[in-house]
Each structure stands twice: as C-alpha cells, then as structure tokens.
C-alpha cells in the first residue's frame, strides 16, 4: 500500500482501519496486542516518509510489526497471523521483501542498523536505516554498544524510540519539547555549523570552550542528554499518536543525514480502551471478547510453569538463602509470585540475561542459592556468563529453563530446542529433567542440595499426566519405569517420557521404558544392564538431535564399546516454524501415532 501521497485525513483513516483490523483478527486468533496497537501511527509515519522496500525498516523484537505487515500487501493474509503455515508474528524476510531482518529477541535493532549503514555508505547508495525500538529493549547492553559506535561513525540512521513505559527521563513541559526540536532542526544545525567554523578561524581559543558550554547548558533541560553525550542527535519527546507531528519529525530526522533518535510517547493498547496502559496481560493474548475484554478460556491442566512457581515458593519459605532472578519475564516464568512474597530475594533485572547470570554467580559465592529462571531461547543470550562466571567457579547456581521444546505460535526465534546441546559440554554442569509435576517438585528440592551448577528443563504448558512411582532424584541415576518382553527400549528425557509412554501404548509389542532423568552425568551402569536385555533403543526428547540426548548416549556407547541400535526422535538440523504446537509436532513427525509407525 503506497501512502506517500495521502492527505493527513486519509492517513488518520488508514490508521483507524489498521487498528480495527488488528483488534478484529487478534481477538479471534490471539497474538501480540497492546504493543502493536500502540505503534500504529509511528508505523504509518515511517511508511509515509521512508521506503520500506529500499530503506531498511528494522523493528526491535518486531512484536509491534503488525501495522507494517498490513501496509505491505498482507492485509488479507493477516487472518493467518501466527497460525501454522500462515504469517509469522514477527518480521520475516521470507514473507516479504519489506521485512528487512528476522527478529524475535530483544535489542538487536540498532546493531543491525549500524551494519546496514556501513554497507550503504560503502555502496554509495541513498538509503537510510530506520529503527523502531521500545523503551523496554533499551535496558539491554547491546543497545549501548551499538549507540557508542554509531555516535562515533555519524552515519545516517533514524531511531524511533517508542516509549510506552515512561522509563526514559520525563520531559520538562512544552519548553523542553520545543527546544529539543529546535536544537535538532535544519536551521539551527546550519547556523551551528557556520558559527563553529567562524569561531575556530577568527576567535580566541577560549571562545570555543564557552560556546560549547552554552550549548550543553541548553541540552541539560532536555531528556535527550544521554544520547547527545554519545554523539547522537535527539528530537522529542513527540506525541507518537499525532500523525502530523510524527511525519514532520521524521522528515526532519531524515534530512539531518546523521544518527538521530526520535523519542515518541505512545500508549500501549491505543484504540482499545480496556487494554490501554500498563497491563502486562494484554501484551500477548489469546482470543477474547471484543465487547468486554473477557478472554476465551479453555479448560487446561496446571502448567509446568505454575507447578514450578508454587514449588519454588514453598522451598523459599523453607530455606531463607534461596534467591532468584528472571529477565523481563516475571509472569511468564512465574517469578512474579515470588517477587511479591519475597521482594528482597527475587528480582526482575529487565532484558539483561548476561547481568542476571553474573549477578547470581556472585550471590552463590556469598552463600546464597540462586535460581535463574529464563526461557530456553533467552538463556542463549547469557551463554558466556554461564561458562565464565558460573561453571568455571563451579558455583551452585540452578538454571530453571522454562519453555524447553516447541513453544507453538512464536516460532523459530523462540523454540526451546538448543539448551541441552549448548549446556552439555560445559564442565561442572549437571543436566536433569522431570517427567511430570511430581518429579518437577522433587527436582527442585534435589537441586537445592547440589553443590555444583545445574540446569532443569521443563515445557511450555502442562506435562502429560503419568502414573509411575515417585522415586527421589539421585545424582546420575535413571529410573526404569517399565520392563518389556520385546528387544526394544524407549528412553525418555523430561517431557519426552510422556511421548514415549503414549507411543508405547499404541505399539503392538510390550516395550520397556526408561526415564533417563540425567543427561549429564549419564547412568552408565543402568544403561549397560539394559543393553544386555534390549538392543533396539529409541530416544524421546524435545531437543535438538545434534549434541542432544541421543548424542550423549552414543558417546557413552562408543566409549564403553556397548553395541545396540539407536534411533533418536529429537529435532532435525533445522529451525522449527511457528503454529499450533500439535500441528508443528505433526509436521515434524513427532505425534505418538506417527512415531509408532516409525518404530514399526
């Protein structure tokens, strides 16, 4: 949709149409909601001033990109948002040339813009990278690494700071707003350049210092001093819902031909009164009733996250040296419950996984027992700190890894596929996993007593309900759940145990089932004993095949010269797409009815 020649009234009407379309579809299908409603006018302004098919449009995280999708030929297809085989909930270049880069994790946008700006400069092209980044993403250190270089290079980049949390310094009324716009304006910049040249050529040395101090004094009453000190011009704050003001400011920023931050105030959920403001539960939603905002609730068993939160809360009541942290996901991980009950012992450090890991390493050294609760996909962001600050010191930190395995509609940037592979090779790290709610509670109690770092993984949603005797965890010990009369052995790890059990029920043979429990260290003695009875082994684990559970067992079999046939039903060497979890697993051939055919 080309909106460059549209009148202001037409642009306002387009904005309302976009907002209505988002509310209609998301209320029926679910998806990111409040953040994307708050970014409508900013996105319309971007498309009016810049060219999405030439200028790199870079959306940080990109959960606010729905208006962009609707403006770039995906109006009808928007009905399929986050559905299997449909549009992604994030930017995805495979979908459209208007989507510059894959996104899903936070705080990457400005680094991408710096790289794009360097390439554009080398290619001598007339293009400008345009970033939209939320104030929440400004809590991550990578943003300041990028700003630091950008301020030095002075390459043209327009950064729209979508501030819907009021976490950036508050403006000092209309004077500040007018002055910051004036300081960045074309006439002021031209005047400043001429004055600088004149002073350097014709005035005494001290005059330059005095002029500089006067300019800095003016900037002190604007909220953009942080960015100005980094060498990046600042305009704002502006009203992010006033299209005329947004367009005027973006034109000004584009004409400056250097790095500029446009600070825009917006309201989350704008246009849907019930969701307007700081309501975390409206960030990402399931289907809801548009009339009253009531969510369409489906009966569901207690989630693994809820079981974890309750169990850790009980444990924290029992042991007062337990502390914990999450990185901007308090409700998603259940840590919000502990933050309320123990406000001096549990923290949300914002989007700062590296800091979360290292700060808890120091607490472990001081005698506390830290539980770092982070989604599998986001723990990747703290990888070096896991090695350097926790495992190298052999500190007793517990990594509680939520969302392990497929996560459904968020797709390839959020799948929890890699944690076993990237943690298993680290010295001192212990890896184990519960199979159901009871063993999750028991796993937390066991983890408290460990004197080395460990990682526990559990899935999004609920475990399968299983009926096996609860045997307390013992380091490096597996549990035989069922002996069999055939030559086959099903080995399950974590939530994979439930899949193994359901697959065995569909098979016409009586098959033995082992709950591996520990992938590091392995229960080698039990595996050797089982190899004497069963020589056809099958691995069930919601994890990447490369470096995963099957790999660990194959290494052991090779080293100990144990001869069995092994087949792994872990994820193949590919990124897993988005969609309903069952449909995604069906596409991977991982439903029990599919697996039993593969076994046969």
């Amino acid at each position: 949709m080309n909106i460059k020649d549209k009148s202001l009234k037409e642009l306002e009407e387009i904005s309302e149409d976009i907002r209505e379309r988002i509310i209609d579809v998301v209320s029926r299908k679910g998806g990111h909601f409040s953040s994307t409603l708050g970014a409508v006018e900013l996105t319309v302004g971007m498309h009016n001033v810049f060219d999405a098919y030439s200028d790199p449009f870079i959306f940080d995280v990109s959960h606010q990109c729905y208006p962009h999708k609707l403006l770039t030929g995906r109006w009808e297809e928007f009905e399929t948002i986050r559905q299997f085989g449909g549009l992604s909930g994030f930017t995805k270049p495979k979908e459209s040339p208007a989507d510059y880069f894959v996104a899903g994790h936070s705080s990457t946008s400005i680094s991408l813009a710096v790289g794009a700006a360097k390439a554009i400069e080398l290619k001598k092209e007339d293009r400008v990278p345009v970033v939209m980044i939320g104030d929440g993403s400004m809590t991550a250190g990578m943003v300041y690494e990028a700003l630091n270089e950008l301020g030095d290079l002075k390459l043209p980049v327009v950064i729209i700071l979508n501030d819907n949390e009021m976490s950036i310094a508050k403006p000092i009324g209309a004077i500040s707003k007018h002055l910051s716009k004036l300081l960045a304006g074309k006439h002021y910049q031209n005047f400043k350049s001429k004055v600088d040249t004149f002073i350097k050529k014709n005035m005494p040395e001290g005059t330059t210092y005095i002029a500089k101090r006067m300019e800095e004094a003016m900037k002190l009453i604007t909220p953009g001093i942080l960015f100005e000190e980094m060498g990046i011009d600042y305009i704002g704050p502006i009203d992010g819902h006033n299209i005329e003001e947004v367009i005027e400011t973006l034109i000004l920023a584009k004409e400056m031909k250097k790095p500029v931050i446009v600070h825009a105030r917006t309201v989350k959920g704008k246009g849907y009164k019930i969701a307007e403001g700081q309501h975390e539960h409206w960030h990402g939603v399931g289907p809801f009733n548009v009339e009253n905002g009531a969510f369409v609730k489906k009966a569901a068993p207690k989630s693994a996250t809820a079981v974890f939160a309750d169990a850790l809360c009980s444990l924290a009541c029992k042991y007062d040296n337990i502390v914990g942290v999450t990185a901007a996901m308090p409700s998603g991980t259940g840590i919000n419950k502990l933050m309320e009950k123990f406000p001096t012992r549990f923290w949300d450090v914002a989007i700062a996984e590296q800091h979360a890991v290292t700060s808890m390493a120091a607490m472990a050294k001081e005698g506390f027992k830290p539980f770092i609760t982070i989604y599998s996909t986001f723990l990747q962001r703290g990888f070096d700190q896991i090695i350097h600050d926790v495992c190298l010191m052999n500190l007793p930190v517990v990594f509680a890894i939520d969302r392990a395995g497929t996560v459904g509609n968020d797709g390839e940037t959020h799948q929890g596929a890699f944690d076993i592979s990237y943690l298993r090779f680290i010295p001192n790290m212990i890896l184990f996993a519960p199979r159901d709610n009871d063993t999750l509670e028991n796993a937390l109690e066991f983890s408290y007593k460990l004197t080395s770092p460990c990682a526990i993984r559990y899935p999004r949603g609920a475990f399968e309900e299983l009926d096996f005797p609860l045997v307390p965890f013992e380091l490096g010990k597996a549990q035989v759940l069922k002996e069999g009369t055939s030559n086959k052995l099903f080995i399950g790890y974590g939530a994979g145990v439930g899949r193994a059990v359901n697959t065995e029920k569909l098979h016409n043979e009586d098959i033995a089932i082992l709950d591996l429990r520990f992938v590091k260290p392995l229960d080698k003695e039990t595996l050797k004993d089982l190899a004497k009875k069963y020589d056809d082994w099958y691995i069930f684990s919601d994890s990447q095949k490369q470096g995963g559970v099957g790999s660990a067992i194959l290494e052991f079999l090779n080293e100990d010269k144990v001869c069995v046939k092994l087949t792994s039903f872990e994820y193949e060497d590919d990124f897993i797409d988005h969609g309903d979890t069952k449909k995604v697993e069906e596409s991977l051939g991982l439903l029990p009815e599919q697996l039993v055919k593969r076994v046969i």
Side-chain angles (χ1 to χ4, degrees):
M1 186 187 299
N2 188 347
I3 62 170
K4 289 189 175 300
D5 299 324
K6 301 291 184 184
S7 69
L8 191 60
K9 188 173 186 302
E10 288 173 319
L11 291 175
E12 288 170 348
E13 289 171 353
I14 289 168
S15 297
E16 285 309 304
D17 289 342
I18 288 171
R19 201 166 258 120
E20 286 175 13
R21 180 68 170 153
I22 292 170
I23 293 170
D24 172 51
V25 173
V26 175
S27 69
R28 291 182 287 109
K29 307 283 186 176
H32 289 104
F33 191 63
S34 60
S35 53
T36 205
L37 284 181
V40 172
E41 287 82 6
L42 290 177
T43 308
V44 168
M46 287 169 66
H47 279 267
N48 179 265
V49 176
F50 300 94
D51 182 355
Y53 296 93
S54 174
D55 300 314
F57 277 25
I58 305 169
F59 295 87
D60 202 273
V61 184
S62 78
H63 58 295
Q64 77 285 60
C65 72
Y66 293 8
H68 168 74
K69 287 179 185 273
L70 291 167
L71 287 168
T72 50
R74 289 170 273 186
W75 191 276
E76 295 303 323
E77 203 180 352
F78 189 69
E79 191 73 28
T80 70
I81 193 77
R82 298 173 85 242
Q83 307 300 302
F84 184 72
L87 293 180
S88 169
F90 302 102
T91 51
K92 193 170 185 177
K94 288 180 183 177
E95 257 181 38
S96 169
D99 289 4
Y100 182 73
F101 225 85
V102 168
H105 287 197
S106 165
S107 313
T108 63
S109 57
I110 301 177
S111 293
L112 289 172
V114 172
K118 288 177 180 176
I120 290 166
E121 175 86 355
L122 289 170
K123 292 158 78 174
K124 302 190 185 316
E125 294 176 347
D126 185 21
R127 299 157 57 213
V128 183
V130 187
V131 169
M132 183 186 289
I133 182 169
D135 56 319
S137 293
M138 299 294 287
T139 60
M142 188 174 176
V143 164
Y144 300 96
E145 294 171 19
L147 287 172
N148 184 51
E149 186 183 19
L150 183 60
D152 183 53
L153 294 173
K154 305 294 185 195
L155 293 172
V157 174
V158 175
I159 301 165
I160 301 169
L161 173 53
N162 178 16
D163 179 7
N164 51 37
E165 297 276 353
M166 291 192 274
S167 63
I168 310 297
K170 292 182 179 180
I172 307 173
I175 295 174
S176 167
K177 182 175 175 182
H178 177 72
L179 179 59
S180 59
K181 209 168 178 182
L182 178 69
L183 288 172
K186 180 168 59 177
H187 299 298
Y188 173 78
Q189 293 295 324
N190 288 339
F191 172 74
K192 176 176 175 288
S193 178
K194 288 174 183 176
V195 170
D196 285 346
T197 303
F198 176 79
I199 288 173
K200 284 176 184 175
K201 286 184 177 179
N202 303 297
M203 302 296 283
E205 190 174 323
T207 311
T208 305
Y209 173 77
I210 294 168
K212 183 72 177 170
R213 291 302 299 270
M214 286 179 66
E215 183 185 18
E216 286 177 354
M218 291 174 73
K219 287 177 181 176
L220 277 172
I221 63 170
T222 78
I225 188 169
L226 169 66
F227 307 114
E228 296 277 2
E229 287 300 312
M230 297 182 83
I232 296 166
D233 282 65
Y234 170 94
I235 308 174
I238 66 167
D239 180 353
H241 299 300
N242 183 322
I243 290 182
E244 183 177 18
E245 188 174 359
V246 168
I247 289 172
E248 284 178 0
T249 307
L250 291 180
I251 290 171
L252 178 63
K254 183 180 181 181
E255 289 174 348
M256 290 169 68
K257 297 190 181 302
K258 55 183 174 179
V260 186
I261 288 208
V262 175
H263 181 179
R265 295 277 193 202
T266 60
V267 176
K268 274 190 171 184
K270 180 72 173 176
Y272 185 66
K273 202 69 181 174
I274 300 169
E276 287 185 4
Q278 303 313 311
H279 305 296
E280 189 182 350
H281 62 277
W282 282 103
H283 172 76
V285 300
F288 63 92
N289 185 315
V290 176
E291 298 301 317
N292 59 20
F295 290 101
V296 180
K297 294 182 179 178
K298 298 177 183 176
K302 190 173 182 178
S303 70
T305 299
V307 174
F308 163 81
D310 288 345
L312 185 57
C313 197
S314 297
L315 212 59
C317 289
K318 188 175 175 183
Y319 305 111
D320 61 9
N321 70 330
I322 288 179
V323 293
V325 73
T326 189
M329 292 290 172
S331 62
T333 59
I335 288 295
N336 59 331
K337 180 175 181 178
L338 290 108
M339 289 169 63
E340 290 168 10
K341 191 171 181 66
F342 307 103
T344 61
R345 289 165 57 190
F346 288 84
W347 303 273
D348 173 12
V349 298
I351 304 170
E353 292 85 358
Q354 294 172 312
H355 165 64
V357 174
T358 300
S359 63
M360 289 298 103
M363 292 207 76
K365 182 174 172 57
E366 291 288 343
F368 289 88
K369 185 71 179 186
F371 282 75
I372 300 174
T373 309
I374 297 180
Y375 294 0
S376 171
T377 185
F378 296 140
L379 188 58
Q380 295 162 189
R381 295 161 60 95
F383 180 67
D384 180 60
Q385 287 67 30
I386 297 170
I387 296 175
H388 184 270
D389 301 325
V390 175
C391 291
L392 195 63
M393 296 274 288
N394 197 26
L395 294 168
V397 173
V398 180
F399 293 91
I401 304 176
D402 201 333
R403 305 308 201 261
T406 56
V407 298
N409 304 96
D410 282 333
E412 57 194 346
T413 58
H414 283 61
Q415 308 288 11
F418 307 116
D419 54 272
I420 295 173
S421 301
Y422 70 71
L423 293 175
R424 190 170 67 83
F425 62 75
I426 306 175
N428 295 327
M429 179 64 83
I430 296 168
L431 300 182
F432 61 110
R435 64 175 178 261
D436 58 15
N437 293 345
D438 290 341
T439 52
L440 175 53
E441 293 173 359
N442 187 247
L444 293 181
E445 181 78 48
F446 172 75
S447 70
Y448 176 79
K449 297 169 185 173
L450 287 174
T451 56
S452 292
C454 69
I456 309 166
R457 73 189 320 254
Y458 47 94
R460 180 177 190 173
F463 281 106
E464 288 284 338
E465 292 187 17
L466 303 173
D467 187 21
F468 295 103
L470 176 60
V471 176
F473 275 86
E474 187 179 344
L475 183 61
K477 292 296 181 184
Q479 181 183 357
V480 177
L481 301 180
K482 176 182 177 297
E483 295 282 4
T485 57
S486 74
N487 70 327
K488 295 180 176 62
L489 172 67
F490 284 0
I491 301 175
Y493 183 68
V497 174
R499 185 174 285 116
V501 169
N502 289 333
T503 304
E504 195 273 340
K505 287 176 182 175
L506 298 175
H507 203 283
N508 55 13
E509 292 184 276
D510 181 26
I511 300 173
I513 301 174
L514 176 72
D515 178 357
L516 189 64
R517 289 196 157 194
F518 289 83
V519 73
K520 185 185 179 186
L522 286 172
D523 186 348
K524 295 183 179 181
E525 294 308 312
T526 296
L527 290 171
K528 285 179 185 177
D529 289 342
L530 290 170
K532 296 171 186 175
K533 303 186 221 177
Y534 314 107
D535 61 5
D536 191 8
W537 293 7
Y538 297 85
I539 308 299
F540 296 78
S541 177
D542 297 334
S543 51
Q544 196 73 4
K545 184 179 287 186
Q546 290 76 16
V549 177
S551 290
I553 293 175
L554 282 169
E555 289 162 16
F556 149 69
L557 294 173
N558 181 60
E559 288 171 6
D560 286 53
K561 297 180 172 52
V562 177
C563 188
V564 299
K565 176 186 172 185
L566 187 143
T567 302
S568 174
F569 294 140
E570 295 171 277
Y571 306 144
E572 298 295 340
D573 187 17
D574 204 355
F575 291 104
I576 301 170
D577 218 336
H578 66 274
D580 174 79
T581 299
K582 188 170 182 180
K583 289 182 179 178
V584 169
E585 289 181 347
E586 182 180 13
S587 74
L588 300 173
L590 293 178
L591 297 181
E593 54 267 33
Q594 296 171 305
L595 292 173
V596 73
K597 291 177 182 176
R598 291 169 68 180
V599 173
I600 291 169

